[in-house]
Amino acid sequence: MSSTHPEFLWYIPNQVYAGHRGDEAVPDHNSLDTLASHAKALEEHGWQGALIGTGWGRPDTFTVGAALAARTSRFEPLVAIRPGYWQPAQFASAAATLDHLSGGRLRINIVSGQDKLAAYGDSEGDQAHRYARTREFMQLVRKLWTEENVTYKGEHFQVTDSTVVPRIPPREGRRHPRLYFGGASPAAERVAAAEADVQLFWGEPLADVQARIERLRSLARELGREHAPLEFGLRITTVVRETSAQAWADAEAKVAKMAATQGAGWNDHGRTFVAVGQQRLLDLQARGDVLDDNLYTAPGRFGGGGAGTTWLVGSAQEVASSLRKYQALGIRHFILSDTPYLQEIERQGRTLLPLLRG
């Protein structure tokens, strides 16, 4: 299941409220026509697909992904889902069906961060319990996609004589939809090292990412990983303009607006509970506003959350140079974005992607 060439995806916010992270606040921002226009633009401008965010209080992500797959021919939805919101057998069946109907275009992002669990009847214990459940979920889903008559008796999930149909056929070395995973805590990294296909990082400095890659590879050996080698991805905001001066002027203007509005519309990763990975990004501010060549940490000071916390800023050539340095460390999956989303799909598809694929 390994990738030899880098892959470039975008981000579709999947939000009830308009104006996400500085996007254009139009009334029909989350209509099927609007979201499909983004997916079609991604196809037209050289992107392979897009991450679709999840969380209680957002439109159902799997439904959005299925609708966008039906409206497109090449767009690959990277659908974020949560163990606990889904039972593994029902999810494996739904995903196998969508993968079949879309001709093998489905990707899955497993999310284990905090959510409003009680709102949909879920409950979980401490961090160790949460990640143990996630590991079982990933193990069982993979078994259901690759084996028949599965019987599995874990601490959190059990099935007996379970066969998912339709079966997922191998497609050009892809045995089943890739399982992407995030998380920076020791418990999360052990799950990634053992069970994920792709570990996603947010925008940390190169040396920090290199250290995490080395640690995860060591963990995979220690845990006796049974799957193809773990791959790595980067989810980050990229502020790309015709010149470096214009990119920095626009980035600083965005941060100034965030400061004036207390980050309104930017932080969809709440600060009541700050995950380990999010805290790592926030801690970067103490090391300076700009790290490496052009990693901008100031957005996190004013409400940027997740991939909105740190940005790569510059001309297309400068941002491409930075992304190639991540690629040299072993990053093969890139999920980029900036706002206005639709405008930037075209701009970065036209100016940035050719430099990365050249």
Side-chain angles (χ1 to χ4, degrees):
M1 262 179 109
S2 63
S3 297
T4 56
H5 302 291
E7 299 184 338
F8 300 96
L9 287 81
W10 194 251
Y11 174 69
I12 289 178
N14 188 33
Q15 295 281 342
V16 170
Y17 301 105
H20 181 255
R21 293 185 180 168
D23 198 14
E24 295 174 342
V26 295
D28 62 346
H29 73 283
N30 68 339
S31 70
L32 179 55
D33 285 345
T34 297
L35 296 175
S37 73
H38 288 218
K40 291 175 181 177
L42 288 164
E43 287 188 326
E44 293 168 6
H45 295 288
W47 304 90
Q48 288 174 268
L51 170 64
I52 306 172
T54 191
W56 190 253
R58 293 183 176 189
D60 178 73
T61 309
F62 199 91
T63 305
V64 172
L68 296 184
R71 286 282 191 103
T72 55
S73 58
R74 300 185 308 280
F75 170 82
E76 299 182 19
L78 174 52
V79 175
I81 66 102
R82 292 177 181 271
Y85 182 91
W86 290 87
Q87 287 290 309
Q90 286 90 339
F91 172 73
S93 176
T97 301
L98 179 52
D99 194 65
H100 165 69
L101 294 175
S102 66
R105 287 187 276 146
L106 181 62
R107 302 166 185 243
I108 300 299
N109 181 30
I110 306 289
V111 179
S112 286
Q114 295 286 306
D115 196 21
K116 297 178 182 177
L117 305 179
Y120 49 88
D122 188 24
S123 62
E124 57 188 24
D126 59 14
Q127 186 188 66
H129 179 279
R130 176 157 46 101
Y131 282 107
R133 183 176 74 162
T134 297
R135 183 171 184 176
E136 282 192 14
F137 185 94
M138 296 169 77
Q139 287 176 338
L140 181 50
V141 165
R142 194 189 295 269
K143 280 182 174 291
L144 290 166
W145 282 341
T146 58
E147 302 175 18
E148 299 183 6
N149 308 113
V150 173
T151 294
Y152 181 98
K153 298 188 184 302
E155 179 182 352
H156 305 279
F157 302 112
Q158 300 84 36
V159 299
T160 301
D161 194 23
S162 182
T163 300
V164 164
V165 291
R167 304 302 297 159
I168 297 177
R171 297 175 185 269
E172 299 177 357
R174 169 194 176 275
R175 182 62 188 88
H176 55 69
R178 279 194 179 87
L179 295 175
Y180 292 66
F181 186 72
S185 69
E189 288 190 339
R190 292 181 72 84
V191 172
E195 301 299 337
D197 294 316
V198 180
Q199 165 73 37
L200 285 176
F201 304 123
W202 280 329
E204 297 186 50
L206 291 159
D208 296 30
V209 170
Q210 181 177 21
R212 292 192 63 194
I213 288 174
E214 291 172 355
R215 184 165 63 251
L216 283 160
R217 285 174 170 164
S218 177
L219 265 176
R221 291 190 295 270
E222 175 189 324
L223 296 172
R225 179 182 172 87
E226 299 177 350
H227 313 302
L230 180 64
E231 299 181 23
F232 303 99
L234 181 69
R235 167 73 187 103
I236 193 168
T237 297
T238 43
V239 181
V240 176
R241 300 294 185 267
E242 299 304 317
T243 67
S244 180
Q246 185 61 57
W248 281 106
D250 285 3
E252 290 167 359
K254 286 190 179 196
V255 169
K257 185 174 181 180
M258 291 168 65
T261 61
Q262 299 182 316
W266 276 83
N267 186 20
D268 50 15
H269 294 261
R271 300 301 173 89
T272 303
F273 170 86
V274 180
V276 172
Q278 177 67 75
Q279 190 62 56
R280 288 174 66 95
L281 297 186
L282 296 174
D283 290 346
L284 295 176
Q285 296 159 28
R287 291 157 61 176
D289 278 356
V290 182
L291 304 178
D292 291 341
D293 295 325
N294 54 346
L295 183 66
Y296 193 31
T297 69
R301 189 177 304 126
F302 302 107
T309 313
T310 58
W311 309 345
L312 286 176
V313 180
S315 66
Q317 291 80 6
E318 290 168 335
V319 173
S321 175
S322 295
L323 292 174
R324 282 195 293 268
K325 290 176 182 177
Y326 285 103
Q327 186 180 346
L329 298 179
I331 301 292
R332 291 292 177 270
H333 304 264
F334 294 89
I335 305 171
L336 312 179
S337 67
D338 189 21
T339 55
Y341 290 110
L342 187 58
Q343 171 185 304
E344 292 304 316
I345 287 169
E346 187 278 330
R347 185 207 302 265
Q348 297 192 33
R350 172 175 52 82
T351 64
L352 181 63
L353 288 190
L355 299 176
L356 296 166
R357 288 184 169 137

